[in-house]
mmCIF file of all heavy atoms in Angstrom:
data_model
loop_
_atom_site.group_PDB
_atom_site.id
_atom_site.type_symbol
_atom_site.label_atom_id
_atom_site.label_comp_id
_atom_site.label_asym_id
_atom_site.label_seq_id
_atom_site.Cartn_x
_atom_site.Cartn_y
_atom_site.Cartn_z
ATOM 1 N N GLY A 1 0.778 -1.227 0.000
ATOM 2 C CA GLY A 1 0.000 0.000 0.000
ATOM 3 C C GLY A 1 0.808 1.275 0.000
ATOM 4 O O GLY A 1 0.244 2.371 -0.129
ATOM 5 N N ASN A 2 2.121 1.179 0.158
ATOM 6 C CA ASN A 2 2.959 2.378 0.124
ATOM 7 C C ASN A 2 2.844 3.053 -1.240
ATOM 8 O O ASN A 2 2.852 2.387 -2.283
ATOM 9 C CB ASN A 2 4.410 2.036 0.409
ATOM 10 C CG ASN A 2 4.650 1.729 1.870
ATOM 11 O OD1 ASN A 2 3.798 2.000 2.715
ATOM 12 N ND2 ASN A 2 5.798 1.151 2.181
ATOM 13 N N ILE A 3 2.777 4.369 -1.219
ATOM 14 C CA ILE A 3 2.565 5.143 -2.441
ATOM 15 C C ILE A 3 3.661 6.193 -2.606
ATOM 16 O O ILE A 3 4.105 6.789 -1.623
ATOM 17 C CB ILE A 3 1.180 5.814 -2.423
ATOM 18 C CG1 ILE A 3 0.085 4.753 -2.606
ATOM 19 C CG2 ILE A 3 1.058 6.870 -3.511
ATOM 20 C CD1 ILE A 3 -1.317 5.288 -2.490
ATOM 21 N N TYR A 4 4.043 6.366 -3.844
ATOM 22 C CA TYR A 4 5.039 7.387 -4.198
ATOM 23 C C TYR A 4 4.443 8.309 -5.255
ATOM 24 O O TYR A 4 3.737 7.857 -6.161
ATOM 25 C CB TYR A 4 6.297 6.730 -4.761
ATOM 26 C CG TYR A 4 7.206 7.717 -5.461
ATOM 27 C CD1 TYR A 4 8.132 8.463 -4.739
ATOM 28 C CD2 TYR A 4 7.118 7.939 -6.837
ATOM 29 C CE1 TYR A 4 8.945 9.384 -5.374
ATOM 30 C CE2 TYR A 4 7.924 8.855 -7.481
ATOM 31 C CZ TYR A 4 8.837 9.572 -6.738
ATOM 32 O OH TYR A 4 9.633 10.486 -7.371
ATOM 33 N N TYR A 5 4.752 9.609 -5.119
ATOM 34 C CA TYR A 5 4.391 10.593 -6.141
ATOM 35 C C TYR A 5 5.604 11.441 -6.470
ATOM 36 O O TYR A 5 6.354 11.844 -5.577
ATOM 37 C CB TYR A 5 3.280 11.526 -5.679
ATOM 38 C CG TYR A 5 1.935 10.867 -5.483
ATOM 39 C CD1 TYR A 5 1.437 10.630 -4.208
ATOM 40 C CD2 TYR A 5 1.159 10.486 -6.569
ATOM 41 C CE1 TYR A 5 0.200 10.024 -4.016
ATOM 42 C CE2 TYR A 5 -0.078 9.882 -6.393
ATOM 43 C CZ TYR A 5 -0.548 9.648 -5.121
ATOM 44 O OH TYR A 5 -1.777 9.052 -4.941
ATOM 45 N N ALA A 6 5.780 11.740 -7.728
ATOM 46 C CA ALA A 6 6.761 12.733 -8.117
ATOM 47 C C ALA A 6 6.306 14.093 -7.601
ATOM 48 O O ALA A 6 5.097 14.369 -7.507
ATOM 49 C CB ALA A 6 6.896 12.764 -9.640
ATOM 50 N N ASP A 7 7.262 14.940 -7.274
ATOM 51 C CA ASP A 7 6.925 16.256 -6.737
ATOM 52 C C ASP A 7 6.025 17.046 -7.686
ATOM 53 O O ASP A 7 5.157 17.798 -7.246
ATOM 54 C CB ASP A 7 8.198 17.051 -6.455
ATOM 55 C CG ASP A 7 8.947 16.538 -5.239
ATOM 56 O OD1 ASP A 7 8.362 15.800 -4.432
ATOM 57 O OD2 ASP A 7 10.143 16.878 -5.109
ATOM 58 N N SER A 8 6.241 16.859 -8.964
ATOM 59 C CA SER A 8 5.510 17.639 -9.959
ATOM 60 C C SER A 8 4.021 17.320 -10.001
ATOM 61 O O SER A 8 3.244 18.102 -10.562
ATOM 62 C CB SER A 8 6.117 17.417 -11.347
ATOM 63 O OG SER A 8 6.077 16.040 -11.695
ATOM 64 N N VAL A 9 3.611 16.194 -9.419
ATOM 65 C CA VAL A 9 2.191 15.809 -9.490
ATOM 66 C C VAL A 9 1.527 15.703 -8.119
ATOM 67 O O VAL A 9 0.324 15.455 -8.030
ATOM 68 C CB VAL A 9 2.005 14.475 -10.256
ATOM 69 C CG1 VAL A 9 2.668 14.549 -11.635
ATOM 70 C CG2 VAL A 9 2.528 13.293 -9.468
ATOM 71 N N LYS A 10 2.291 15.897 -7.067
ATOM 72 C CA LYS A 10 1.726 15.794 -5.720
ATOM 73 C C LYS A 10 0.577 16.781 -5.536
ATOM 74 O O LYS A 10 0.677 17.944 -5.924
ATOM 75 C CB LYS A 10 2.807 16.063 -4.670
ATOM 76 C CG LYS A 10 3.725 14.890 -4.413
ATOM 77 C CD LYS A 10 4.765 15.224 -3.343
ATOM 78 C CE LYS A 10 5.707 14.056 -3.111
ATOM 79 N NZ LYS A 10 6.775 14.399 -2.142
ATOM 80 N N GLY A 11 -0.497 16.285 -4.960
ATOM 81 C CA GLY A 11 -1.666 17.124 -4.737
ATOM 82 C C GLY A 11 -2.600 17.201 -5.921
ATOM 83 O O GLY A 11 -3.722 17.717 -5.791
ATOM 84 N N ARG A 12 -2.164 16.700 -7.080
ATOM 85 C CA ARG A 12 -3.000 16.743 -8.287
ATOM 86 C C ARG A 12 -3.357 15.350 -8.794
ATOM 87 O O ARG A 12 -4.454 15.142 -9.315
ATOM 88 C CB ARG A 12 -2.293 17.504 -9.403
ATOM 89 C CG ARG A 12 -1.939 18.943 -9.053
ATOM 90 C CD ARG A 12 -1.419 19.693 -10.273
ATOM 91 N NE ARG A 12 -0.189 19.108 -10.804
ATOM 92 C CZ ARG A 12 -0.052 18.678 -12.056
ATOM 93 N NH1 ARG A 12 -1.067 18.746 -12.907
ATOM 94 N NH2 ARG A 12 1.110 18.163 -12.461
ATOM 95 N N PHE A 13 -2.440 14.412 -8.663
ATOM 96 C CA PHE A 13 -2.649 13.048 -9.154
ATOM 97 C C PHE A 13 -2.844 12.097 -7.978
ATOM 98 O O PHE A 13 -2.253 12.281 -6.910
ATOM 99 C CB PHE A 13 -1.450 12.558 -9.963
ATOM 100 C CG PHE A 13 -1.251 13.243 -11.284
ATOM 101 C CD1 PHE A 13 -1.951 14.367 -11.652
ATOM 102 C CD2 PHE A 13 -0.324 12.727 -12.186
ATOM 103 C CE1 PHE A 13 -1.753 14.989 -12.872
ATOM 104 C CE2 PHE A 13 -0.106 13.321 -13.412
ATOM 105 C CZ PHE A 13 -0.828 14.461 -13.751
ATOM 106 N N THR A 14 -3.656 11.082 -8.207
ATOM 107 C CA THR A 14 -3.887 10.053 -7.197
ATOM 108 C C THR A 14 -3.804 8.681 -7.843
ATOM 109 O O THR A 14 -4.516 8.405 -8.823
ATOM 110 C CB THR A 14 -5.265 10.215 -6.543
ATOM 111 O OG1 THR A 14 -5.381 11.508 -5.958
ATOM 112 C CG2 THR A 14 -5.465 9.164 -5.456
ATOM 113 N N ILE A 15 -2.935 7.834 -7.289
ATOM 114 C CA ILE A 15 -2.837 6.460 -7.760
ATOM 115 C C ILE A 15 -3.626 5.560 -6.818
ATOM 116 O O ILE A 15 -3.612 5.767 -5.596
ATOM 117 C CB ILE A 15 -1.361 5.999 -7.876
ATOM 118 C CG1 ILE A 15 -1.271 4.654 -8.594
ATOM 119 C CG2 ILE A 15 -0.683 5.962 -6.523
ATOM 120 C CD1 ILE A 15 0.169 4.262 -8.956
ATOM 121 N N SER A 16 -4.318 4.598 -7.378
ATOM 122 C CA SER A 16 -5.100 3.673 -6.560
ATOM 123 C C SER A 16 -5.184 2.334 -7.290
ATOM 124 O O SER A 16 -4.821 2.233 -8.464
ATOM 125 C CB SER A 16 -6.498 4.228 -6.290
ATOM 126 O OG SER A 16 -7.215 4.379 -7.500
ATOM 127 N N ARG A 17 -5.654 1.338 -6.576
ATOM 128 C CA ARG A 17 -5.763 0.021 -7.198
ATOM 129 C C ARG A 17 -7.033 -0.664 -6.729
ATOM 130 O O ARG A 17 -7.518 -0.444 -5.625
ATOM 131 C CB ARG A 17 -4.554 -0.846 -6.864
ATOM 132 C CG ARG A 17 -4.461 -1.198 -5.393
ATOM 133 C CD ARG A 17 -3.214 -1.963 -5.074
ATOM 134 N NE ARG A 17 -3.166 -2.327 -3.663
ATOM 135 C CZ ARG A 17 -2.105 -2.764 -3.042
ATOM 136 N NH1 ARG A 17 -0.985 -2.897 -3.724
ATOM 137 N NH2 ARG A 17 -2.147 -3.093 -1.770
ATOM 138 N N ASP A 18 -7.557 -1.495 -7.611
ATOM 139 C CA ASP A 18 -8.703 -2.336 -7.305
ATOM 140 C C ASP A 18 -8.229 -3.774 -7.460
ATOM 141 O O ASP A 18 -8.096 -4.269 -8.585
ATOM 142 C CB ASP A 18 -9.857 -2.026 -8.264
ATOM 143 C CG ASP A 18 -11.121 -2.806 -7.948
ATOM 144 O OD1 ASP A 18 -11.017 -3.915 -7.394
ATOM 145 O OD2 ASP A 18 -12.201 -2.319 -8.293
ATOM 146 N N ASN A 19 -7.945 -4.424 -6.341
ATOM 147 C CA ASN A 19 -7.382 -5.770 -6.403
ATOM 148 C C ASN A 19 -8.347 -6.766 -7.036
ATOM 149 O O ASN A 19 -7.936 -7.709 -7.716
ATOM 150 C CB ASN A 19 -6.986 -6.234 -5.011
ATOM 151 C CG ASN A 19 -5.793 -5.479 -4.462
ATOM 152 O OD1 ASN A 19 -4.951 -5.013 -5.229
ATOM 153 N ND2 ASN A 19 -5.730 -5.339 -3.153
ATOM 154 N N ALA A 20 -9.637 -6.543 -6.838
ATOM 155 C CA ALA A 20 -10.627 -7.464 -7.402
ATOM 156 C C ALA A 20 -10.610 -7.421 -8.923
ATOM 157 O O ALA A 20 -10.892 -8.427 -9.582
ATOM 158 C CB ALA A 20 -12.013 -7.125 -6.874
ATOM 159 N N LYS A 21 -10.286 -6.253 -9.468
ATOM 160 C CA LYS A 21 -10.254 -6.093 -10.920
ATOM 161 C C LYS A 21 -8.836 -6.143 -11.470
ATOM 162 O O LYS A 21 -8.638 -5.987 -12.677
ATOM 163 C CB LYS A 21 -10.910 -4.770 -11.321
ATOM 164 C CG LYS A 21 -12.388 -4.684 -10.983
ATOM 165 C CD LYS A 21 -12.969 -3.361 -11.447
ATOM 166 C CE LYS A 21 -14.455 -3.284 -11.154
ATOM 167 N NZ LYS A 21 -15.050 -1.984 -11.593
ATOM 168 N N ASN A 22 -7.850 -6.329 -10.580
ATOM 169 C CA ASN A 22 -6.441 -6.339 -11.012
ATOM 170 C C ASN A 22 -6.113 -5.096 -11.846
ATOM 171 O O ASN A 22 -5.455 -5.190 -12.888
ATOM 172 C CB ASN A 22 -6.142 -7.605 -11.817
ATOM 173 C CG ASN A 22 -6.275 -8.863 -10.988
ATOM 174 O OD1 ASN A 22 -5.827 -8.913 -9.861
ATOM 175 N ND2 ASN A 22 -6.922 -9.875 -11.549
ATOM 176 N N THR A 23 -6.595 -3.974 -11.380
ATOM 177 C CA THR A 23 -6.464 -2.728 -12.131
ATOM 178 C C THR A 23 -5.897 -1.632 -11.246
ATOM 179 O O THR A 23 -6.274 -1.521 -10.072
ATOM 180 C CB THR A 23 -7.817 -2.293 -12.705
ATOM 181 O OG1 THR A 23 -8.317 -3.312 -13.577
ATOM 182 C CG2 THR A 23 -7.694 -0.998 -13.480
ATOM 183 N N VAL A 24 -4.995 -0.850 -11.818
ATOM 184 C CA VAL A 24 -4.438 0.324 -11.155
ATOM 185 C C VAL A 24 -4.907 1.554 -11.920
ATOM 186 O O VAL A 24 -4.954 1.539 -13.158
ATOM 187 C CB VAL A 24 -2.905 0.262 -11.125
ATOM 188 C CG1 VAL A 24 -2.321 1.563 -10.632
ATOM 189 C CG2 VAL A 24 -2.445 -0.874 -10.228
ATOM 190 N N TYR A 25 -5.240 2.578 -11.182
ATOM 191 C CA TYR A 25 -5.763 3.808 -11.765
ATOM 192 C C TYR A 25 -4.832 4.986 -11.466
ATOM 193 O O TYR A 25 -4.130 4.984 -10.448
ATOM 194 C CB TYR A 25 -7.143 4.121 -11.196
ATOM 195 C CG TYR A 25 -8.154 3.021 -11.394
ATOM 196 C CD1 TYR A 25 -8.406 2.097 -10.373
ATOM 197 C CD2 TYR A 25 -8.848 2.900 -12.592
ATOM 198 C CE1 TYR A 25 -9.327 1.078 -10.548
ATOM 199 C CE2 TYR A 25 -9.769 1.885 -12.773
ATOM 200 C CZ TYR A 25 -10.005 0.979 -11.753
ATOM 201 O OH TYR A 25 -10.913 -0.029 -11.930
ATOM 202 N N LEU A 26 -4.862 5.960 -12.334
ATOM 203 C CA LEU A 26 -4.196 7.236 -12.076
ATOM 204 C C LEU A 26 -5.214 8.331 -12.348
ATOM 205 O O LEU A 26 -5.541 8.607 -13.505
ATOM 206 C CB LEU A 26 -2.958 7.412 -12.951
ATOM 207 C CG LEU A 26 -2.132 8.661 -12.635
ATOM 208 C CD1 LEU A 26 -1.482 8.536 -11.251
ATOM 209 C CD2 LEU A 26 -1.060 8.895 -13.698
ATOM 210 N N GLN A 27 -5.723 8.916 -11.279
ATOM 211 C CA GLN A 27 -6.647 10.040 -11.396
ATOM 212 C C GLN A 27 -5.820 11.313 -11.485
ATOM 213 O O GLN A 27 -5.024 11.606 -10.585
ATOM 214 C CB GLN A 27 -7.582 10.101 -10.187
ATOM 215 C CG GLN A 27 -8.527 11.285 -10.208
ATOM 216 C CD GLN A 27 -9.560 11.202 -11.323
ATOM 217 O OE1 GLN A 27 -10.116 10.135 -11.583
ATOM 218 N NE2 GLN A 27 -9.804 12.326 -11.984
ATOM 219 N N MET A 28 -6.003 12.041 -12.576
ATOM 220 C CA MET A 28 -5.207 13.234 -12.825
ATOM 221 C C MET A 28 -6.135 14.438 -12.835
ATOM 222 O O MET A 28 -7.021 14.539 -13.705
ATOM 223 C CB MET A 28 -4.470 13.109 -14.156
ATOM 224 C CG MET A 28 -3.594 11.863 -14.244
ATOM 225 S SD MET A 28 -2.627 11.785 -15.760
ATOM 226 C CE MET A 28 -3.914 11.612 -16.975
ATOM 227 N N ASN A 29 -5.940 15.325 -11.879
ATOM 228 C CA ASN A 29 -6.743 16.545 -11.772
ATOM 229 C C ASN A 29 -5.866 17.774 -11.986
ATOM 230 O O ASN A 29 -4.634 17.689 -11.922
ATOM 231 C CB ASN A 29 -7.408 16.620 -10.405
ATOM 232 C CG ASN A 29 -8.362 15.470 -10.138
ATOM 233 O OD1 ASN A 29 -9.004 14.949 -11.053
ATOM 234 N ND2 ASN A 29 -8.463 15.072 -8.884
ATOM 235 N N SER A 30 -6.502 18.891 -12.225
ATOM 236 C CA SER A 30 -5.784 20.164 -12.415
ATOM 237 C C SER A 30 -4.650 20.007 -13.421
ATOM 238 O O SER A 30 -3.522 20.439 -13.174
ATOM 239 C CB SER A 30 -5.241 20.670 -11.074
ATOM 240 O OG SER A 30 -6.278 20.838 -10.130
ATOM 241 N N LEU A 31 -4.962 19.388 -14.519
ATOM 242 C CA LEU A 31 -3.924 19.094 -15.515
ATOM 243 C C LEU A 31 -3.344 20.367 -16.114
ATOM 244 O O LEU A 31 -4.043 21.373 -16.301
ATOM 245 C CB LEU A 31 -4.492 18.196 -16.604
ATOM 246 C CG LEU A 31 -4.622 16.725 -16.194
ATOM 247 C CD1 LEU A 31 -5.589 15.981 -17.103
ATOM 248 C CD2 LEU A 31 -3.254 16.056 -16.213
ATOM 249 N N LYS A 32 -2.055 20.281 -16.404
ATOM 250 C CA LYS A 32 -1.301 21.400 -16.960
ATOM 251 C C LYS A 32 -0.738 20.991 -18.321
ATOM 252 O O LYS A 32 -0.531 19.793 -18.565
ATOM 253 C CB LYS A 32 -0.151 21.773 -16.027
ATOM 254 C CG LYS A 32 -0.559 22.075 -14.597
ATOM 255 C CD LYS A 32 0.670 22.306 -13.735
ATOM 256 C CE LYS A 32 0.291 22.604 -12.291
ATOM 257 N NZ LYS A 32 1.490 22.833 -11.434
ATOM 258 N N PRO A 33 -0.425 21.959 -19.166
ATOM 259 C CA PRO A 33 0.178 21.606 -20.460
ATOM 260 C C PRO A 33 1.452 20.777 -20.313
ATOM 261 O O PRO A 33 1.721 19.903 -21.150
ATOM 262 C CB PRO A 33 0.473 22.978 -21.085
ATOM 263 C CG PRO A 33 -0.575 23.868 -20.511
ATOM 264 C CD PRO A 33 -0.760 23.382 -19.092
ATOM 265 N N GLU A 34 2.200 21.013 -19.252
ATOM 266 C CA GLU A 34 3.438 20.247 -19.044
ATOM 267 C C GLU A 34 3.189 18.800 -18.634
ATOM 268 O O GLU A 34 4.124 18.016 -18.535
ATOM 269 C CB GLU A 34 4.342 20.935 -18.015
ATOM 270 C CG GLU A 34 3.666 21.293 -16.710
ATOM 271 C CD GLU A 34 3.209 22.738 -16.680
ATOM 272 O OE1 GLU A 34 2.641 23.216 -17.701
ATOM 273 O OE2 GLU A 34 3.397 23.387 -15.633
ATOM 274 N N ASP A 35 1.946 18.431 -18.392
ATOM 275 C CA ASP A 35 1.619 17.027 -18.140
ATOM 276 C C ASP A 35 1.451 16.245 -19.450
ATOM 277 O O ASP A 35 1.285 15.019 -19.417
ATOM 278 C CB ASP A 35 0.319 16.913 -17.338
ATOM 279 C CG ASP A 35 0.438 17.480 -15.942
ATOM 280 O OD1 ASP A 35 1.471 17.222 -15.290
ATOM 281 O OD2 ASP A 35 -0.491 18.188 -15.509
ATOM 282 N N THR A 36 1.488 16.938 -20.566
ATOM 283 C CA THR A 36 1.356 16.275 -21.860
ATOM 284 C C THR A 36 2.493 15.286 -22.073
ATOM 285 O O THR A 36 3.668 15.640 -21.950
ATOM 286 C CB THR A 36 1.358 17.318 -22.996
ATOM 287 O OG1 THR A 36 0.195 18.141 -22.869
ATOM 288 C CG2 THR A 36 1.353 16.639 -24.358
ATOM 289 N N ALA A 37 2.134 14.048 -22.344
ATOM 290 C CA ALA A 37 3.127 12.985 -22.513
ATOM 291 C C ALA A 37 2.403 11.687 -22.878
ATOM 292 O O ALA A 37 1.168 11.613 -22.800
ATOM 293 C CB ALA A 37 3.912 12.774 -21.215
ATOM 294 N N VAL A 38 3.190 10.699 -23.232
ATOM 295 C CA VAL A 38 2.667 9.333 -23.304
ATOM 296 C C VAL A 38 2.853 8.716 -21.922
ATOM 297 O O VAL A 38 3.960 8.745 -21.370
ATOM 298 C CB VAL A 38 3.389 8.499 -24.371
ATOM 299 C CG1 VAL A 38 2.844 7.068 -24.374
ATOM 300 C CG2 VAL A 38 3.225 9.126 -25.744
ATOM 301 N N TYR A 39 1.790 8.188 -21.382
ATOM 302 C CA TYR A 39 1.812 7.601 -20.049
ATOM 303 C C TYR A 39 1.862 6.077 -20.163
ATOM 304 O O TYR A 39 1.086 5.474 -20.910
ATOM 305 C CB TYR A 39 0.589 8.037 -19.251
ATOM 306 C CG TYR A 39 0.691 9.450 -18.745
ATOM 307 C CD1 TYR A 39 0.637 10.530 -19.624
ATOM 308 C CD2 TYR A 39 0.873 9.724 -17.395
ATOM 309 C CE1 TYR A 39 0.770 11.838 -19.180
ATOM 310 C CE2 TYR A 39 0.990 11.032 -16.931
ATOM 311 C CZ TYR A 39 0.937 12.081 -17.824
ATOM 312 O OH TYR A 39 1.066 13.370 -17.367
ATOM 313 N N TYR A 40 2.786 5.484 -19.409
ATOM 314 C CA TYR A 40 3.004 4.049 -19.452
ATOM 315 C C TYR A 40 2.779 3.437 -18.075
ATOM 316 O O TYR A 40 3.234 3.979 -17.063
ATOM 317 C CB TYR A 40 4.437 3.724 -19.872
ATOM 318 C CG TYR A 40 4.809 4.170 -21.258
ATOM 319 C CD1 TYR A 40 5.368 5.420 -21.490
ATOM 320 C CD2 TYR A 40 4.611 3.323 -22.354
ATOM 321 C CE1 TYR A 40 5.716 5.838 -22.760
ATOM 322 C CE2 TYR A 40 4.963 3.732 -23.637
ATOM 323 C CZ TYR A 40 5.511 4.987 -23.825
ATOM 324 O OH TYR A 40 5.854 5.386 -25.095
ATOM 325 N N CYS A 41 2.121 2.311 -18.057
ATOM 326 C CA CYS A 41 1.979 1.526 -16.852
ATOM 327 C C CYS A 41 3.130 0.519 -16.787
ATOM 328 O O CYS A 41 3.573 0.003 -17.825
ATOM 329 C CB CYS A 41 0.644 0.792 -16.903
ATOM 330 S SG CYS A 41 0.281 -0.242 -15.488
#
């Protein structure tokens, strides 16, 4: 359950997981142009 965030996304992004669905999520709020990228799991 330990979680890490890069400083650039702290307070804006939230990582979570649903073990029943074997799925990890990244909720991204207050997005900025500098968040533009290809995101990889």
Side-chain angles (χ1 to χ4, degrees):
N2 286 347
I3 289 175
Y4 165 85
Y5 293 106
D7 287 343
S8 59
V9 306
K10 281 181 181 176
R12 301 188 298 123
F13 291 10
T14 302
I15 190 170
S16 63
R17 66 184 182 194
D18 184 332
N19 290 331
K21 296 182 178 180
N22 295 317
T23 300
V24 171
Y25 303 97
L26 186 67
Q27 177 67 42
M28 304 185 294
N29 298 328
S30 302
L31 283 161
K32 305 175 180 180
E34 51 263 44
D35 294 317
T36 295
V38 178
Y39 284 69
Y40 297 91
C41 180

